[in-house]
Amino acid sequence: MQAKMEEDLDEGQTQKGCFECCIKCLGGIPYPSLIATILLYAGVALFCGCGHEALSGTVTILQNYFEVVRGPMDSLDVFTMIDIIKYVIYGIASAFFVYGILLMVEGFFTTGAIRDLYGDFKITTCGRCVSAWFIMLTYIFMLAWLGVTAFTSLPVFMYFNIWTVCQNTTAVEGANLCLDLRQFGIVSIGEEKKVCTGSEKFFKMCESNELDLTFHLFICALAGAGAAVIAMIHYLMVLSANWAYVKDACRMQKYEDIKSKEEQELHDIHSTRSKERLNAYT
């Protein structure tokens, strides 16, 4: 009976130890950095995936309905620009995947530095410099994503105009409207690539799935770029708060070290005086 009670007691202590360990692990997770990382990954994935497919749909629309022909390999035309943007999208996806991991690791280390201030972990000057470097880098990336968001709004505006023209042709009878690519700077002034209402290509383009799908894909890409901007702002707030906490914790640690050193010196002085008095008495 006693052995069974001791076994139950050991099992309860083991469960309690596992529960406390889980609570400690959950308490060490930097939740603000985790939320910002999830938002960043979602925004980058939405922008890169939808933007890539929208560019492919744009190529299909230009070739099938506006009869734009791809130029020689050494010429810089709209198709070459689209290919370059696709490669840029590949680089953005891989770069920010790595950057999100780095920011999460920095959040874990900063959280550990704050929570283990009075333990064995020491806050170094290098750690504070790394936090300051991440703040500067994240600020630059935030400005870059603002530019990407502004750039992504341009095709949304263009496709909105095309979609509006397609909608207005059914409402206004006899309207003579044309979509000229020279207005958007896609082709040179000397080339006349346009589609006018009443033509068979115009009705096929308006009724096709490519136009509607590409328009909505660009909207999703714009939303993804906006989400990435919000994630960068969130990261800036988290990094700034962590840097301030680490800076204050470092000052507190220096104060505790000086206080401990002074107390040790006072203790040594009292010990020396006590020994001198004892020697004088003997």
Side-chain angles (χ1 to χ4, degrees):
M1 189 67 168
Q2 185 178 359
K4 185 177 181 181
M5 292 177 61
E6 291 178 355
E7 184 179 354
D8 294 338
L9 182 61
D10 293 338
E11 185 178 355
Q13 291 178 352
T14 302
Q15 293 178 356
K16 183 179 179 180
C18 292
F19 178 76
E20 292 178 354
C21 182
C22 293
I23 294 298
K24 185 177 180 180
C25 291
L26 292 175
I29 296 175
Y31 291 102
S33 298
L34 180 62
I35 294 172
T37 303
I38 294 174
L39 185 61
L40 176 65
Y41 282 167
V44 172
L46 196 63
F47 170 77
C48 294
C50 295
H52 183 275
E53 293 302 318
L55 290 174
S56 300
T58 301
V59 172
T60 303
I61 292 173
L62 292 176
Q63 290 178 342
N64 293 341
Y65 305 107
F66 289 93
E67 297 181 352
V68 180
V69 182
R70 184 183 290 270
M73 296 299 296
D74 55 348
S75 63
L76 186 63
D77 56 359
V78 61
F79 298 107
T80 305
M81 292 297 298
I82 288 176
D83 292 336
I84 293 173
I85 295 174
K86 285 184 177 181
Y87 286 113
V88 172
I89 287 176
Y90 301 150
I92 289 174
S94 57
F96 278 92
F97 176 76
V98 176
Y99 190 67
I101 295 177
L102 292 177
L103 289 177
M104 272 297 298
V105 171
E106 194 275 342
F108 272 106
F109 274 107
T110 306
T111 304
I114 295 171
R115 294 184 180 277
D116 300 334
L117 174 61
Y118 299 101
D120 296 329
F121 188 86
K122 299 296 182 181
I123 301 171
T124 60
T125 305
C126 180
R128 284 179 289 161
C129 292
V130 169
S131 297
W133 170 255
F134 273 122
I135 292 173
M136 183 184 68
L137 199 60
T138 304
Y139 182 76
I140 295 174
F141 283 151
M142 184 198 68
L143 296 179
W145 274 109
L146 283 175
V148 171
T149 304
F151 179 77
T152 311
S153 63
L154 295 178
V156 173
F157 175 73
M158 293 167 55
Y159 274 97
F160 177 75
N161 289 337
I162 297 174
W163 181 79
T164 302
V165 171
C166 289
Q167 296 296 318
N168 290 336
T169 53
T170 58
V172 181
E173 296 182 358
N176 188 14
L177 302 175
C178 293
L179 297 172
D180 196 343
L181 295 182
R182 292 177 294 181
Q183 297 175 346
F184 304 108
I186 296 178
V187 296
S188 61
I189 300 298
E191 299 181 64
E192 185 176 353
K193 300 293 182 181
K194 63 181 181 180
V195 176
C196 297
T197 58
S199 62
E200 183 180 359
K201 289 184 179 180
F202 179 82
F203 287 111
K204 286 184 178 180
M205 182 183 66
C206 292
E207 294 176 357
S208 65
N209 293 326
E210 288 87 359
L211 179 63
D212 188 65
L213 180 61
T214 305
F215 178 43
H216 287 87
L217 284 174
F218 271 120
I219 293 176
C220 292
L222 179 61
V229 172
I230 296 174
M232 291 291 104
I233 295 174
H234 196 165
Y235 268 129
L236 276 177
M237 293 188 294
V238 171
L239 291 171
S240 300
N242 289 342
W243 186 81
Y245 289 153
V246 169
K247 186 178 180 181
D248 293 339
C250 185
R251 290 178 179 177
M252 183 64 67
Q253 189 177 24
K254 290 181 179 179
Y255 171 76
E256 292 293 335
D257 292 340
I258 294 172
K259 183 179 178 181
S260 177
K261 185 177 180 181
E262 290 179 352
E263 290 178 353
Q264 184 65 33
E265 290 177 354
L266 290 174
H267 178 73
D268 293 340
I269 292 172
H270 286 301
S271 299
T272 303
R273 288 180 179 178
S274 299
K275 289 179 180 180
E276 290 177 351
R277 291 175 183 177
L278 182 61
N279 293 331
Y281 178 77
T282 57

